[in-house]
Amino acid sequence: MAAATLQQPSFLLANLKADICIKPLLQRCQDLVKIIDEYPAKELQLIFPWLLESVFGSLDGTIIGWNLRLLTHRSSDYNIVLDFLSPSGPMMKLVYKLQAEEFKFEIPVIHLPAPIKACIQEGVQPDCPLFHNKLLLPLTGALSLTLALNPFEFYMFHFASCLIKPRNCPPGQHFSTTDSAYFVLVDSYLKYFLPCEGNVPPPPAPLYDSRGSVAASSPRSSGVSFPGHSIHNSSLLKHHIFHQPSVNVEPSAQEIWRSETLLQMFVEMWLHHYSLEMYQRLQSPQVKLALLQHRLSMSSRWHHLQAPPTGSGIPHNYQVLLPIHSAPLQWGHLEEPFTPTEEHVLVVRLLVKHLHAFSNSQLNTSGTTSSPSSHSHTQHTSPLEEFKRVVVQRFVQQKLYLFLQHCFGHWPLDASFRAVLETWLSYIQPWRYTGENISPLSSQQNRGVPDKWEGFVQENLLMFTKMFQAFLNRVLRTDLVNAKNALMVFRACKVFAQPNLSEMILRGEQMFLQPEHVLHHRQTRGLMSPSQGGSYLSSRHKVVPDAVFRVKSHVYAMEGQDCRYQQMFGTELRAAVTRLIQIIAQSRQTAQRISDQSSELTTSSSFLSWLGLGSSELNGTFSGSEPEESGECLKKTHEFLEKALESLCVIFKLNQGHVTQFVSNLASSQDEGNCKQLPDCIQREDGLVLTDLGRKQVINGLRRFDIQYQGDPELQPIRTFENPHLVRFFYRISSVINERFGGHMTALCLRPGFLGRMGRHFLTNPGSVWKLKQSPVSWTRVGGSSQPRLSLRPLASYRTIVLLLLCYILGMLLSFGPLSSTILILILSFLYGLFMTMFSDRLQTH
């Protein structure tokens, strides 16, 4: 390997690229481990961007990489990838090795989330300090803006971006999200850099010099104060967060930046997606005014801007948020079609659950019983403990709120919404992740929400109230007969029915509705929005120990100062809850009726019913063939909706006896005849058109149209009591016979007398038939005549097959051979037809 170190870096990169096609993954990883250990950082710098691209894929999606999101434990490469990319593995060792030399790597601004990209192109400093003082403005113009990131930021950017790329899943294959290598790596990084116990492990030896001090400072402390910062500070640097002081010189404070960088990168890449309207609504009046002044000033002096003279000492490529566009920004080109996948939401839920456990571990170790959302802290709090104290509210709250709000409004009305629902419920229940051992679930329910969490409820009031209203709007448009949808209603109502929780929410609403003089609107944006992303080392502002201020500042920070708040326990929402109770009653009645019909069908499926002697009208109707329509799922639906009603009574203080009586009366009135009526329709020129009420009736199974088959009887769908292969086989034989002897059959049936009557009995009735002509314009009845033909389809019925088998068995018992039994069956069939032909007139009169 010593000879290999003499190679030029270009040859090293070329050899690594060639190894992809000829070497397996295990051997390539082993070679990379040796290269990382033996090559200097200057040469490793050249292969680092290519290595990340080959692992996580390119940012534009042209290169797939190792496809971590589809790699599961069933693959032989699973453990190899986890070992190589683990928090203490070779890849992270390479990151630290490059970090010690303070290398920078460029990321195009176009690959950032739309709001961050829009901020930069508007000349406004982004909310997240992760992207501060890192903009590179090349000489070629404003079309190739990039950010200069350090190796750790560069690695985490590629890792986080991997989740929001389209997943290259082979068609017809399904993969478990929680079993993928990517999901496991996210969990490993969170546990390593945000530990619930102990401190963050220090980087390996290369980051330390001979004196034991940190050689590579954090990104914040190593930032360069570029020219142009003070020039445009008044108009360009519109801070949405607190100004950051210098970093503490303690090693623990220096090391905490990795935890903060990882969290900010995850939050910005996974949650920072929303529309222009939301972006503008969240800006404070000060920011809006400053931005307007900046635009007016730039439009008047843009033509006076000149490039700095050569040798002036001003770097030509480092500027901080200079005016980089000569035309007004077109926001329509910046907004992205943000459609998170179920996998994306599950990873976000993993992040939320771990952050709650990480934040609450501060309480467990310190032994304090104060509210975790309180801002009081001791003077000797370590940087990690200080980070735990503010991590949820300052880094995650607002962006997660916007993320969930988008999902609630755009997610399809199906059972896949369960992932979004559980993410929301995980966030609003931090007491589930305190690490306290509560053995029986019933005792936890009886105990209710501890009083120390009321501060969390106040600082996250909209997460409880407005998100519940959004969930309620979805439920009113969802098919609750489906057991999976009914389970989601039960889960949400059960959470909000916990003792003390509804009282806490009500007190929070009352605080927000107090007179406006309690909150001074002229507070700075930093004081108004502690939930905004920022450094945990932000200046410790004076805390106003007023719960009213805390609630109002939260609502205004989330919704803007011109928001219209709708009370959760107000009249409007109570009316929506009443509609939900009606829908629950209808869905329960429908599920019960479907379950009863399925039970009757199952009970009647005795031996004679299996032979086809039963009514064929029930075939295909409420058969429970789908998993969601099975009898067991319908019973669960009834149970989930019953418990959801009980929880709604607890949440909104409804009289359970009155609600039960109301549901019973509503169900009985529907059962008296509504099911036999047509759905609610409007008669128009092109026929009947369903109304909104009619659509709900059809979806919930309350009413349905009487649909009858009116086509060729020989071509009707194959029934459950028929053998598909025999149906097709006998149809081909019948078609050949009818085509060859059709004329003779017609002549036989047209003959008067006994022979004509016998032909009409054994062949299809040639009389005139009426069919319903359906078209978008007219509904008319047209007449037609069918020619006599032979139909062998009854022989494909299981009933006929079993009867023939019984006849052959009986013949064998009577010492008849197969040929004799066949002749005897034909003779008996002919005699039966002869009898029916002779006495058909008399039987019809009777």
Side-chain angles (χ1 to χ4, degrees), residues 185-447:
L185 284 173
V186 171
D187 187 46
S188 300
Y189 288 155
L190 291 175
K191 291 178 180 178
Y192 186 89
F193 293 105
L194 303 172
C196 296
E197 298 180 359
N199 295 321
V200 182
L207 279 184
Y208 295 91
D209 58 15
S210 59
R211 296 169 297 177
S213 60
V214 179
S217 58
S218 70
R220 295 186 305 273
S221 60
S222 61
V224 180
S225 179
F226 301 130
H229 186 285
S230 58
I231 297 176
H232 302 280
N233 186 46
S234 59
S235 61
L236 291 176
L237 298 180
K238 291 87 179 179
H239 289 279
H240 300 187
I241 60 172
F242 309 107
H243 294 280
Q244 304 169 29
S246 60
V247 180
N248 197 324
V249 296
E250 298 178 0
S252 58
Q254 290 283 359
E255 295 306 327
I256 202 67
W257 71 265
R258 291 181 297 157
S259 304
E260 186 179 356
T261 299
L262 173 113
L263 177 59
Q264 288 182 341
M265 192 64 74
F266 284 177
V267 170
E268 294 301 316
M269 299 306 297
W270 296 346
L271 302 180
H272 202 159
H273 305 264
Y274 44 81
S275 62
L276 165 65
E277 179 185 2
M278 182 65 65
Y279 170 81
Q280 293 177 336
R281 189 175 66 184
L282 294 176
Q283 306 309 310
S284 65
Q286 292 83 0
V287 172
K288 294 178 181 178
L289 180 60
L291 182 59
L292 178 60
Q293 293 174 352
H294 160 63
R295 289 173 178 171
L296 293 176
S297 63
M298 294 312 302
S299 62
S300 61
R301 65 179 182 178
W302 175 252
H303 61 279
H304 296 294
L305 286 176
Q306 300 291 337
T310 304
S312 62
I314 300 178
H316 66 270
N317 60 335
Y318 286 98
Q319 296 292 336
V320 181
L321 299 178
L322 287 176
I324 54 179
H325 52 276
S326 58
L329 183 64
Q330 299 297 324
W331 273 87
H333 299 289
L334 291 176
E335 295 189 58
E336 56 183 350
F338 177 50
T339 53
T341 61
E342 186 175 359
E343 178 190 18
H344 186 167
V345 176
L346 289 175
V347 175
V348 171
R349 184 180 182 232
L350 175 65
L351 173 65
V352 170
K353 293 169 63 177
H354 183 82
L355 289 180
H356 275 321
F358 174 71
S359 177
N360 294 334
S361 64
Q362 174 199 20
L363 306 179
N364 299 333
T365 56
S366 62
T368 179
T369 58
S370 62
S371 171
S373 60
S374 70
H375 297 278
S376 62
H377 55 275
T378 61
Q379 296 180 353
H380 303 287
T381 303
S382 66
L384 182 62
E385 296 301 318
E386 177 73 7
F387 184 49
K388 290 181 178 180
R389 185 182 62 83
V390 300
V391 62
V392 175
Q393 299 299 112
R394 186 170 298 171
F395 287 85
V396 180
Q397 184 194 52
Q398 186 185 54
K399 291 183 175 63
L400 180 64
Y401 172 73
L402 298 174
F403 177 82
L404 292 176
Q405 199 174 40
H406 178 88
C407 292
F408 273 61
H410 296 81
W411 203 275
L413 295 174
D414 56 18
S416 65
F417 183 73
R418 177 75 184 275
V420 181
L421 175 70
E422 294 299 335
T423 303
W424 170 48
L425 297 182
S426 296
Y427 180 82
I428 64 176
Q429 297 182 93
W431 47 86
R432 294 178 54 192
Y433 310 99
T434 57
E436 301 176 3
N437 295 325
I438 303 176
S439 50
L441 184 61
S442 58
S443 63
Q444 182 181 4
Q445 293 176 348
N446 295 333
R447 189 186 64 169

Side-chain angles (χ1 to χ4, degrees), residues 623-674:
S623 59
S625 57
E626 296 295 330
E628 294 80 3
E629 297 178 359
S630 61
E632 189 66 25
C633 288
L634 293 172
K635 291 180 181 179
K636 291 182 179 179
T637 297
H638 195 278
E639 179 182 353
F640 291 149
L641 295 180
E642 179 71 24
K643 293 181 179 179
L645 280 177
E646 297 176 2
S647 299
L648 287 174
C649 294
V650 174
I651 298 170
F652 295 95
K653 303 297 185 293
L654 304 176
N655 189 307
Q656 190 168 355
H658 293 169
V659 172
T660 303
Q661 185 64 31
F662 171 75
V663 171
S664 302
N665 296 338
L666 183 63
S668 60
S669 62
Q670 293 173 354
D671 194 46
E672 289 179 354
N674 289 345

Side-chain angles (χ1 to χ4, degrees), residues 614-625:
S615 175
S616 62
E617 295 297 327
L618 293 177
N619 287 286
T621 304
F622 304 123
S623 59
S625 57

Side-chain angles (χ1 to χ4, degrees), residues 380-638:
H380 303 287
T381 303
S382 66
L384 182 62
E385 296 301 318
E386 177 73 7
F387 184 49
K388 290 181 178 180
R389 185 182 62 83
V390 300
V391 62
V392 175
Q393 299 299 112
R394 186 170 298 171
F395 287 85
V396 180
Q397 184 194 52
Q398 186 185 54
K399 291 183 175 63
L400 180 64
Y401 172 73
L402 298 174
F403 177 82
L404 292 176
Q405 199 174 40
H406 178 88
C407 292
F408 273 61
H410 296 81
W411 203 275
L413 295 174
D414 56 18
S416 65
F417 183 73
R418 177 75 184 275
V420 181
L421 175 70
E422 294 299 335
T423 303
W424 170 48
L425 297 182
S426 296
Y427 180 82
I428 64 176
Q429 297 182 93
W431 47 86
R432 294 178 54 192
Y433 310 99
T434 57
E436 301 176 3
N437 295 325
I438 303 176
S439 50
L441 184 61
S442 58
S443 63
Q444 182 181 4
Q445 293 176 348
N446 295 333
R447 189 186 64 169
V449 181
D451 294 336
K452 66 180 181 179
W453 294 102
E454 185 163 5
F456 177 85
V457 175
Q458 294 170 358
E459 292 184 351
N460 294 270
L461 183 64
L462 292 179
M463 274 289 193
F464 290 89
T465 59
K466 188 167 183 179
M467 298 309 299
F468 183 83
Q469 297 168 15
F471 176 73
L472 188 61
N473 292 334
R474 287 184 56 90
V475 172
L476 295 177
R477 297 176 287 128
T478 304
D479 176 21
L480 298 185
V481 180
N482 188 306
K484 295 179 180 179
N485 295 334
L487 174 60
M488 289 191 287
V489 178
F490 161 68
R491 286 281 296 119
C493 294
K494 179 183 176 182
V495 169
F496 278 83
Q498 296 178 83
N500 303 338
L501 182 56
S502 58
E503 289 78 5
M504 292 179 181
I505 297 175
L506 181 59
R507 286 194 292 268
E509 287 191 327
Q510 292 172 351
M511 292 178 183
F512 176 74
L513 297 176
Q514 286 187 11
E516 291 296 327
H517 69 271
V518 178
L519 180 67
H520 301 284
H521 291 291
R522 290 192 176 92
Q523 300 291 342
T524 62
R525 179 68 177 178
L527 189 60
M528 290 280 295
S529 58
S531 60
Q532 292 285 348
S535 171
Y536 78 99
L537 294 171
S538 301
S539 57
R540 296 174 179 176
H541 54 283
K542 290 187 177 181
V543 177
V544 182
D546 189 357
V548 176
F549 174 83
R550 186 163 58 223
V551 174
K552 288 179 176 289
S553 61
H554 156 71
V555 174
Y556 292 140
M558 296 294 104
E559 291 289 327
Q561 298 195 10
D562 55 349
C563 68
R564 177 183 176 273
Y565 183 80
Q566 182 179 0
Q567 301 181 49
M568 181 172 175
F569 300 99
T571 55
E572 295 182 10
L573 195 66
R574 285 185 174 270
V577 171
T578 303
R579 293 198 301 271
L580 175 59
I581 294 176
Q582 295 176 353
I583 293 177
I584 289 178
Q586 295 173 357
S587 302
R588 287 178 54 197
Q589 184 69 15
T590 303
Q592 185 64 40
R593 186 175 70 253
I594 296 175
S595 179
D596 294 342
Q597 293 185 3
S598 300
S599 301
E600 293 176 1
L601 184 62
T602 303
T603 304
S604 62
S605 297
S606 59
F607 181 72
L608 293 178
S609 178
W610 181 74
L611 297 180
L613 297 177
S615 175
S616 62
E617 295 297 327
L618 293 177
N619 287 286
T621 304
F622 304 123
S623 59
S625 57
E626 296 295 330
E628 294 80 3
E629 297 178 359
S630 61
E632 189 66 25
C633 288
L634 293 172
K635 291 180 181 179
K636 291 182 179 179
T637 297
H638 195 278

Side-chain angles (χ1 to χ4, degrees), residues 593 670-678 701-704:
R593 186 175 70 253
Q670 293 173 354
D671 194 46
E672 289 179 354
N674 289 345
C675 298
K676 298 182 180 179
Q677 300 177 4
L678 292 177
L702 301 176
R703 300 183 185 180
R704 59 192 180 98

